[in-house]
Amino acid sequence: MIYPPNRLSAVVITLNSERVLPEVLESLTWCDELLLVDSGSTDQTLAIAEQFGCRIMHHDFNGFGAQKHFAVSQALHDWVLVIDADEIVPPALQAEIKKMLINPGQLVGVKIPVTLVFLGQLMRYGSEYKCFHTRLFNRQFGNYNLNRVHEDVALLGPLGQTNNYILHHSYGSLHEYFEKFNRYTTAGALDMNSAGRRGPIWQVVVRLPFTFLKSYFLKLNVLNGYPGFVWALLSAMYPVVKYAKLREIQQKTRFRRSGSDSSIGVGSAKDPEAKKVLKTSS
């Protein structure tokens, strides 16, 4: 089927995303297509998607980059708006995108700022206020890379940007934050290991206080009140845990290759309990 130019597909990937999905999809009903690619939800995600008339596809999850790359490739229209399942497109941004698509000119994509809502508060200061990401683009000129986390769009051509921002309701609670924290730090460590990055001890030992001070004072999270303090602290923990996991992955790899480590006994016949732990945790 041939469609008129500049029609827009909204693309959302999901897995047990019922928490704010009704609000997310409601904010996308103005698009010409709602495509939802799910990787095995067991909550009400699919039922909610059906209520909003989404075209639903299943695709096994193999990282955020690969999942979004697949979803974009399945859209009906070349212009796609990729929104996470915890992000809301406010009316002002909707109107701005519609206006841009009437005559995009030479633009092949648009960077849209994303602002975090954390512990019930809009984060008006710090790195999470109007953090720009390419979310609107013409897939004829590119698509997502295959990073497990922190995926990005690679495009060949000029980019524009919007003034209005997406509202990112990423964490319903601190419990949910740490669930994502664990998944993301593991995926990030695997990506770094695949890229040949090393996990020096100094990255683990000294990075946390410097990252916290930078985020809390220099990035002005201090002006976000209590949520700003908590966010700065957790943000400082993230790279430390990621690099610690990278070291763990690389140590396990060395143990498997050598069969033993005489300096600490891990993985050797003299330490069968540690050897069993290594095997079950890999």
Side-chain angles (χ1 to χ4, degrees), residues 98-272:
K98 290 177 185 177
K99 184 177 180 180
M100 295 183 79
L101 285 178
I102 293 174
N103 183 20
Q106 299 298 313
L107 297 181
V108 302
V110 178
K111 288 184 173 292
I112 301 176
V114 179
T115 296
L116 178 68
V117 178
F118 184 64
L119 298 181
Q121 178 175 307
L122 184 70
M123 303 289 275
R124 297 187 178 277
Y125 303 93
S127 299
E128 300 307 311
Y129 178 69
K130 287 192 172 183
C131 181
F132 281 87
H133 299 279
T134 304
R135 295 301 191 83
L136 175 66
F137 61 95
N138 186 331
R139 66 178 177 187
Q140 293 293 326
F141 299 91
N143 201 334
Y144 277 90
N145 59 31
L146 302 182
N147 291 355
R148 291 183 178 91
V149 292
H150 306 306
E151 67 285 355
D152 199 5
V153 180
L155 293 174
L156 296 174
L159 302 178
Q161 67 180 47
T162 64
N163 294 315
N164 295 287
Y165 51 79
I166 293 168
L167 291 172
H168 188 195
H169 294 264
S170 186
Y171 312 104
S173 64
L174 288 175
H175 178 83
E176 183 179 343
Y177 175 91
F178 280 106
E179 287 182 334
K180 289 187 176 183
F181 179 95
N182 197 37
R183 293 197 304 270
Y184 279 46
T185 50
T186 297
L190 290 169
D191 274 341
M192 289 195 299
N193 187 58
S194 297
R197 298 276 296 277
R198 314 317 286 164
I201 291 177
W202 72 267
Q203 288 277 19
V204 179
V205 176
V206 305
R207 188 160 184 166
L208 190 148
F210 289 103
T211 305
F212 171 77
L213 292 173
K214 178 181 178 181
S215 177
Y216 192 56
F217 292 108
L218 297 182
K219 296 292 186 179
L220 301 181
N221 266 301
V222 63
L223 299 179
N224 284 321
Y226 173 71
F229 171 80
V230 176
W231 180 258
L233 177 62
L234 299 180
S235 298
M237 291 172 56
Y238 182 92
V240 174
V241 173
K242 182 173 65 173
Y243 273 96
K245 288 184 176 184
L246 175 61
R247 284 186 58 82
E248 181 182 53
I249 291 168
Q250 292 171 348
Q251 285 177 335
K252 289 180 180 181
T253 300
R254 289 195 294 270
F255 294 154
R256 292 192 190 98
R257 289 174 178 171
S258 65
S260 65
D261 188 315
S262 58
S263 64
I264 58 175
V266 176
S268 68
K270 296 180 181 179
D271 192 2

